Amino acid sequence: MTTLRQFEYLVTVVDTGSFTRAAELLHVTQPALSHQVRALEKAVGGPLLERLPRAVRPTPMGRAVLPHARAALADAERLRAAALSAAGLAGGELELATVYSVSLGLLPPVLRAWRAAHPEVRIRLREFAHTEDLRAAMTAGQADVAVGPLPAGWEGPIRELGTEEFVLVLPSDDPEGADGAEGADGAPVPLAALAGRDWVHYAPGNGLADVLDAACAEAGFRPGVAVRTEQTAAAPLLAAAGLGPALVPANIVPPGFDGLVRRPEPPVRRPLVAYTRTRPDALTTAFVELLSRRVRLLPDIAAGGAAGGEDGGTTGGAKGGTAGSPDVPTDGFS
């Protein structure tokens, strides 16, 4: 049986005159490409390509098959375009709402993948400082879909994305982070051991201030304040500069970061979800499906057991929500 993929391979080899160049354009290995071409030749009953020392050209049978292969590929593309247009994926606008740290750490690679797949769909991004602000915006109809911590008592469809975690950031010479190698795979740091410190805190209204206060309260103390920042991305940089420890979403720690990143003990976690007011349309569903496949909650820097979260939400130990947790209702997304 012939396939569209085999037709695509045949056409690309003919157009480039080279198996090597065709494999590069198709992002496959040359042996895989050759195997599929041979399978096509077996299906049609004869050789389609003549392999010369410095080029590849179609045989008489190949020249007869080639127009039909091109027509089949063109028909498939027209079918795809019609389906996308009917589903609203070939144009239009998607209104997306989130909290600051999610837009900073989690969404950029997802939006890059979405843009590559649906370049004609515009994205309107709304960012909020606190989970409750995000919830209020969604309730008021200001976006098609929200991505953030689980909103308490939400009655609309919810798709769980997994669990995000927080890490502690300390300056590179901090004695509390001295054990273990650099990175989150070093020894966890008890939050109680930092009780006497002044912290890099967050401005009132930023939900991460609630996360830090709740985590410290669970550890038995109230954090002192060395500095408050309104910008989530500034917190790890200020901590690495020596102003005080910071509790940050792991996904916002920049590549090549020169501070110490440690897992807090007890861990600080919360579930991350996508949610809508009513059953989502085709465009929103397509975005949420891509989001659930592409979102990366645990970056390499946190591979030892910690990753990031955002403004306002659940903190605590191992009982925090996890992917597949019954604490996170899911319904309404097909």
Side-chain angles (χ1 to χ4, degrees), residues 72-170:
L73 292 173
D75 285 342
E77 180 58 31
R78 284 192 288 271
L79 183 152
R80 175 180 175 274
L84 290 176
S85 178
L89 302 182
E93 181 177 81
L94 177 69
E95 295 187 330
L96 172 63
T98 189
V99 283
Y100 289 146
S101 69
V102 170
S103 67
L104 178 67
L106 298 178
L107 283 183
V110 174
L111 293 178
R112 180 168 59 246
W114 175 263
R115 180 69 174 173
H118 308 290
E120 296 184 7
V121 177
R122 298 183 301 276
I123 294 287
R124 185 173 182 179
L125 181 63
R126 298 179 182 271
E127 300 166 276
F128 298 91
H130 199 285
T131 297
E132 290 306 315
D133 297 332
L134 176 62
R135 178 194 172 100
M138 279 299 295
T139 300
Q142 295 181 22
D144 301 311
V145 59
V147 180
L150 178 66
W154 187 256
E155 295 182 355
I158 294 174
R159 166 69 63 87
E160 64 174 293
L161 302 174
T163 299
E164 58 180 3
E165 303 187 24
F166 289 76
V167 293
L168 285 168
V169 177
L170 302 165

Side-chain angles (χ1 to χ4, degrees), residues 29 42 45 58 97 133 171 221 235 237 244 253 259 287 292 294 297 301 328:
T29 64
K42 182 177 180 180
D133 297 332
F221 69 96
L237 304 180
V253 178
F287 177 81
S292 64
R294 293 298 188 99
L297 298 177
I301 196 169
V328 185

Side-chain angles (χ1 to χ4, degrees), residues 7 10-11 40 44 48 59-71:
F7 288 156
L10 173 66
V11 168
L40 178 59
V44 301
L48 300 175
T59 64
M61 181 179 287
R63 290 194 293 272
V65 167
L66 198 59
H68 298 284
R70 293 188 190 277

Side-chain angles (χ1 to χ4, degrees), residues 3-327:
T3 67
L4 287 173
R5 178 65 71 185
Q6 291 170 344
F7 288 156
E8 182 183 21
Y9 287 2
L10 173 66
V11 168
T12 305
V13 171
V14 171
D15 289 347
T16 61
S18 165
F19 275 84
T20 300
R21 180 60 180 149
E24 292 174 352
L25 291 176
L26 294 166
H27 303 291
V28 298
T29 64
Q30 190 169 330
L33 174 61
S34 298
H35 174 76
Q36 288 299 321
V37 171
R38 287 195 297 270
L40 178 59
E41 290 175 329
K42 182 177 180 180
V44 301
L48 300 175
L49 297 171
E50 182 180 2
R51 296 154 176 84
L52 302 174
R54 296 184 178 276
V56 179
R57 68 182 184 184
T59 64
M61 181 179 287
R63 290 194 293 272
V65 167
L66 198 59
H68 298 284
R70 293 188 190 277
L73 292 173
D75 285 342
E77 180 58 31
R78 284 192 288 271
L79 183 152
R80 175 180 175 274
L84 290 176
S85 178
L89 302 182
E93 181 177 81
L94 177 69
E95 295 187 330
L96 172 63
T98 189
V99 283
Y100 289 146
S101 69
V102 170
S103 67
L104 178 67
L106 298 178
L107 283 183
V110 174
L111 293 178
R112 180 168 59 246
W114 175 263
R115 180 69 174 173
H118 308 290
E120 296 184 7
V121 177
R122 298 183 301 276
I123 294 287
R124 185 173 182 179
L125 181 63
R126 298 179 182 271
E127 300 166 276
F128 298 91
H130 199 285
T131 297
E132 290 306 315
D133 297 332
L134 176 62
R135 178 194 172 100
M138 279 299 295
T139 300
Q142 295 181 22
D144 301 311
V145 59
V147 180
L150 178 66
W154 187 256
E155 295 182 355
I158 294 174
R159 166 69 63 87
E160 64 174 293
L161 302 174
T163 299
E164 58 180 3
E165 303 187 24
F166 289 76
V167 293
L168 285 168
V169 177
L170 302 165
S172 58
D173 59 352
D174 194 291
E176 290 296 340
D179 294 335
E182 288 192 9
D185 56 344
V189 175
L191 282 173
L194 303 173
R197 301 284 193 94
D198 287 336
W199 288 66
V200 175
H201 215 311
Y202 300 92
N206 185 321
L208 291 183
D210 297 345
V211 172
L212 175 58
D213 287 340
C216 293
E218 183 176 336
F221 69 96
R222 181 175 180 177
V225 178
V227 62
R228 288 188 181 270
T229 178
E230 294 185 358
Q231 299 188 33
T232 305
L237 304 180
L238 294 171
L243 275 75
L247 184 67
V248 307
N251 277 288
I252 73 165
V253 178
F257 183 68
D258 59 1
L260 292 179
V261 180
R262 293 288 184 266
R263 302 185 304 277
E265 182 60 44
V268 180
R269 298 171 177 160
R270 67 181 174 179
L272 187 71
V273 301
Y275 57 99
T276 59
R277 290 179 303 281
T278 59
R279 185 174 181 85
D281 60 14
L283 181 61
T284 304
T285 298
F287 177 81
V288 172
E289 291 296 333
L290 184 144
L291 172 68
S292 64
R293 294 193 308 269
R294 293 298 188 99
V295 71
R296 189 179 184 197
L297 298 177
L298 286 171
D300 291 338
I301 196 169
E310 165 66 88
D311 316 342
T314 302
T315 67
K319 293 184 180 180
T322 59
S325 167
D327 294 336

